[in-house]
Amino acid sequence: MTRLRPGLFRRSRRALLAGLVVAVAGAGFVSPLNASADPHPASDGWVKTADHGWIQVKPGTPLTATAKSAGKDAPHKAVAGKLGASRPAPAAATTKTGGRVTPQLQDGADPGTGDNGDGYVSNQYDLQMTYKGGQESTGVDIGPPKVYLVVWGSQWGTPSTNAAGDVVMSHDADQAVPYQQDFFKGLGSTGDTWSGVLTQYCEGIQAGTIQCPSSAAHIPYPKAGSVFAGVWVDNGAPAPQSATEPQLGAEAAAAAAHFGNTTEAQNRNVQYVIDSPQGTDPDTWRELGYCAWHDFERSSYGQLAYTNMPYLTDVAGCGTNWFGENTPRGRLDGYGIIGGHEYAETLTDPNTPGGWTDATGQEIADKCAWIPYGSNGGLFFENLSTGSFPLQTLWSNEEHLCVGASAGPVHTNPPVVLSTMCDRTDPPNTPVSIPAVAVDNTGSTVSYSATGLPQGLSINAATGVITGSAAATTGYTRITVTATDAAGKSASTGFWEGLFAGGQHGCGAIEQLINPGFENGSADVDHTVMTDSWSPNGYNLVTPSSLHSPHSGSWYAWLGQNTDQDDSITTYVNDYPGYQNESFSFWLDTETTNTTSTPDTLSLVVIDQYTQKPLGTVKTWSSKGAAAGYQQQSVDLTPFLNQVGWGTTLGVQLVAHESGSTPSTAFLIDDASVREY
């Protein structure tokens, strides 16, 4: 959910979380699917976004919310935590030019020059991908994939059309826009073995599953010429010089409105690639050290999957002339390598992190990023009908390898497939809108029916949307939805609808942390192994030590071991537009011998990803009067997210301070969790 950084080629944002369900009491969450009447009709171009509220989208008019300060007065350490992010390949040492900082070497990356044969295997843990259960009723794309290219900002100049029918821009120095169109147009053509690897992944199965049954809804192999769905030149005003995550999400919503994709069904298997112009710094990509990322947002148009695609040739480590061509076309290598990376991860994890990742949070392409050309599982060129494009391999669970062509079959779907539908809760006597989305592999229309609907709810046979106001009853009801095509072929799926006053409204919250229980292990302070998601600042802070006990499993975090520095662990959490509340919980055991009047403390601090500066201290725990044994702690992060805007990535840091000259308090932390509502 991933951001394309070295080792997280992303989010997608991507992505980053798992553990205990913690409800936010009285959160007052209002589902974006709420069907009650409002003064913002979609027919007039209104779309609801988390950061900007209701906006009226006009074709050709970009959103121009003020960019937040990105702290560009000083170089910043590249941060982890963006599931869906493509990291730069191994490159020469960081250099500073024109007040900008090129991406630094990332954890696990060997020094290199970018020469052919120079690189590293991003994933060194040999872990299979597992299914996370689906987020917001989405696990993978189950219908023909569609890509819309958004050329954002007047900096691109004026459009024209070349001999191949591609849109070209007068200020596109390296011709990145037509190259991307040709790549997506060529997918599914003769010679495209790469797309076949993706078909082994599916949804509608139990979380934790590794292999997909034939009856499941798989990612389909694309029909030749069908993937590229259109290009929008949004050049009515300049794109922001440093677009924030919320601004990028809002541009995706503007694109959905422009293309007329205004329902959940229309956006279900769609992704929007947001191309920023040369010289801009979207989401401070240079300072934060990634090449691209993919993400999603809730909106009144349904779930929108989109990619932040900077002007890749601005940074050499993002694939420019990666094979040593030193040609105009070679300069665009990154748009094949990285563009393909983000496309594949959006298909397998569109609503990060609800699709397919491994235990370290890496997605299908992260595991195979930047393996050298000519090596086993390395970069390769694929000849499509529209040209030859460099691609990276993709992880295959079936072969336990990084491959560019599957040795197994290209999987096909049953005649009718029906999207996963999430278990949810809603208040009684309140209007709801719950979409069911089916795909018929012949292109036939389907009709919908449902059983188990509470009194007051009904399903539209043509659209599959369940609407109405349920009666004032309390409890869970099992609803089964069936989609049937003209030939009588059908598919069914079920979900639990809970009717309760107060509490969460809408889909059940999914775990957002990559390694909530620290069970990935590692005692490596250099972060070259699995504890990167928590970034301990000292040796052996994440430990299986028998001197203390975990809350569960074998590993836990032990803060308070040092007096020469404060011990800390830090993780970064994706926060998605359209959500309104976020909780952080963990189990804490405070074991102390401190009898002085000055207690030892544990503080929870939240960090701005752009400036790397604290937004504030959420809460501080003390050794004084601490209860014995593990006690669950829960805090609300919502006020801090409201400072920076939903859609950003928030740093969460636990810091232990020992007041004396020798350690006297062990703050033991385990089974953390982040949930968004």
Side-chain angles (χ1 to χ4, degrees):
M1 291 285 194
T2 357
R3 310 272 151 136
L4 209 89
R5 298 175 183 145
L8 280 184
F9 212 120
R10 168 170 201 302
R11 108 33 141 276
S12 114
R13 262 187 41 186
R14 159 328 157 250
L16 297 180
L17 331 166
L20 307 165
V21 178
V22 181
V24 181
F29 177 84
V30 179
S31 170
L33 304 178
N34 192 298
S36 57
D38 61 58
H40 306 101
S43 59
D44 290 340
W46 288 99
V47 59
K48 191 172 186 180
T49 64
D51 197 51
H52 309 299
W54 284 101
I55 58 172
Q56 193 170 24
V57 178
K58 300 294 186 181
T61 304
L63 305 168
T64 54
T66 302
K68 298 178 180 67
S69 170
K72 298 185 188 63
D73 55 327
H76 303 303
K77 179 182 178 182
V79 297
K82 190 64 172 176
L83 191 62
S86 301
R87 291 178 173 176
T94 300
T95 57
K96 185 173 181 180
T97 57
R100 301 292 188 186
V101 179
T102 60
Q104 301 179 31
L105 293 176
Q106 300 297 306
D107 298 339
D110 297 324
T113 63
D115 293 336
N116 186 21
D118 175 36
Y120 71 102
V121 179
S122 175
N123 183 290
Q124 56 186 308
Y125 315 124
D126 204 27
L127 300 174
Q128 292 281 58
M129 310 299 292
T130 59
Y131 183 60
K132 295 300 180 289
Q135 176 158 259
E136 297 291 327
S137 295
T138 300
V140 301
D141 280 17
I142 60 169
K146 299 289 183 184
V147 176
Y148 291 92
L149 194 63
V150 181
V151 183
W152 188 19
S154 58
Q155 298 98 317
W156 287 98
T158 56
S160 60
T161 304
N162 66 13
D166 295 329
V167 173
V168 297
M169 303 303 300
S170 61
H171 294 165
D172 180 6
D174 289 309
Q175 295 300 291
V177 172
Y179 184 96
Q180 291 172 87
Q181 293 170 72
D182 288 343
F183 171 65
F184 291 120
K185 286 178 180 179
L187 292 176
S189 63
T190 301
D192 180 12
T193 59
W194 184 78
S195 291
V197 181
L198 293 160
T199 67
Q200 68 187 270
Y201 295 101
C202 69
E203 68 170 30
I205 54 177
Q206 289 294 317
T209 299
I210 293 175
Q211 301 291 346
C212 290
S214 60
S215 59
H218 290 253
I219 298 169
Y221 186 86
K223 182 180 178 181
S226 69
V227 173
F228 180 69
V231 59
W232 177 34
V233 178
D234 183 10
N235 61 354
Q241 177 58 32
S242 296
T244 62
E245 292 182 40
Q247 286 178 301
L248 288 157
E251 181 67 5
H258 171 81
F259 288 110
N261 296 332
T262 57
T263 68
E264 182 81 33
Q266 288 174 306
N267 284 301
R268 178 60 179 83
N269 302 298
V270 162
Q271 52 184 281
Y272 300 92
V273 177
I274 313 299
D275 268 8
S276 289
Q278 187 174 32
T280 59
D281 196 24
D283 193 37
T284 60
W285 70 297
R286 307 176 192 224
E287 293 85 348
L288 295 182
Y290 62 84
C291 298
W293 50 251
H294 74 94
D295 213 340
F296 88 100
E297 66 174 335
R298 281 175 163 180
S299 81
S300 55
Y301 298 162
Q303 315 307 315
L304 304 179
Y306 67 97
T307 292
N308 169 26
M309 184 61 71
Y311 203 81
L312 295 180
T313 56
D314 283 353
V315 171
C318 289
T320 301
N321 279 319
W322 198 247
F323 302 92
E325 307 98 322
N326 294 314
T327 64
R329 186 168 178 84
R331 286 185 57 79
L332 294 166
D333 285 346
Y335 283 98
I337 299 167
I338 292 165
H341 177 121
E342 298 300 333
Y343 165 80
E345 290 188 339
T346 302
L347 294 185
T348 53
D349 193 17
N351 288 10
T352 61
W356 291 84
T357 72
D358 71 11
T360 69
Q362 292 197 319
E363 294 175 302
I364 182 177
D366 296 327
K367 296 175 72 67
C368 307
W370 303 117
I371 302 175
Y373 178 70
S375 300
N376 185 28
L379 297 163
F380 68 102
F381 283 88
E382 181 143 274
N383 296 319
L384 304 177
S385 62
T386 51
S388 180
F389 296 88
L391 293 173
Q392 67 153 89
T393 54
L394 304 171
W395 182 263
S396 169
N397 272 0
E398 293 178 341
E399 297 166 73
H400 201 67
L401 291 171
C402 292
V403 299
S406 178
V410 172
H411 297 271
T412 58
N413 276 331
V416 180
V417 294
L418 190 58
S419 183
T420 299
M421 296 187 71
C422 67
D423 296 333
R424 53 185 292 136
T425 59
D426 291 293
N429 296 315
T430 301
V432 298
S433 179
I434 307 170
V437 180
V439 176
D440 182 88
N441 63 17
T442 67
S444 171
T445 58
V446 299
S447 61
Y448 297 87
S449 60
T451 60
L453 290 172
Q455 183 180 354
L457 298 185
S458 62
I459 189 168
N460 185 307
T463 66
V465 180
I466 297 171
T467 57
S469 297
T473 58
T474 299
Y476 280 99
T477 300
R478 184 69 175 176
I479 298 172
T480 299
V481 175
T482 300
T484 306
D485 70 5
K489 303 296 184 180
S490 65
S492 297
T493 190
F495 67 99
W496 290 99
E497 169 67 275
L499 297 172
F500 301 97
Q504 180 189 340
H505 302 171
C507 289
I510 192 171
E511 178 57 62
Q512 299 296 307
L513 289 174
I514 289 176
N515 185 22
F518 303 99
E519 294 305 311
N520 284 350
S522 173
D524 188 352
V525 70
D526 293 327
H527 311 171
T528 58
V529 284
M530 294 188 189
T531 46
D532 273 359
S533 62
W534 284 102
S535 298
N537 74 334
Y539 180 76
N540 208 34
L541 297 184
V542 175
T543 179
S545 172
S546 61
L547 294 176
H548 298 287
S549 298
H551 177 256
S552 69
S554 301
W555 291 74
Y556 58 98
W558 173 6
L559 305 185
Q561 299 183 42
N562 300 289
T563 58
D564 57 335
Q565 68 172 10
D566 289 348
D567 292 343
S568 70
I569 53 174
T570 308
T571 192
Y572 285 83
V573 180
N574 279 349
D575 304 292
Y576 303 100
Y579 291 81
Q580 296 183 346
N581 296 280
E582 181 172 276
S583 66
F584 174 66
S585 70
F586 62 97
W587 289 83
L588 173 64
D589 180 8
T590 305
E591 300 185 5
T592 185
T593 59
N594 186 343
T595 58
T596 71
S597 59
T598 306
D600 305 314
T601 59
L602 176 72
S603 297
L604 175 62
V605 179
V606 289
I607 299 169
D608 186 308
Q609 71 156 334
Y610 297 112
T611 66
Q612 291 292 282
K613 295 178 181 178
L615 292 169
T617 299
V618 183
K619 186 174 180 178
T620 297
W621 294 264
S622 169
S623 60
K624 187 174 182 179
Y630 276 99
Q631 308 291 322
Q632 189 177 28
Q633 312 296 324
S634 182
V635 296
D636 185 7
L637 300 182
T638 307
F640 300 93
L641 269 166
N642 290 338
Q643 290 183 39
V644 295
W646 285 84
T648 61
T649 299
L650 195 69
V652 180
Q653 184 177 71
L654 285 162
V655 184
H657 176 73
E658 295 289 314
S659 60
S661 58
T662 58
S664 58
T665 302
F667 293 101
L668 310 177
I669 299 153
D670 203 359
D671 293 330
S673 180
V674 171
R675 303 279 174 159
E676 298 173 17
Y677 302 87

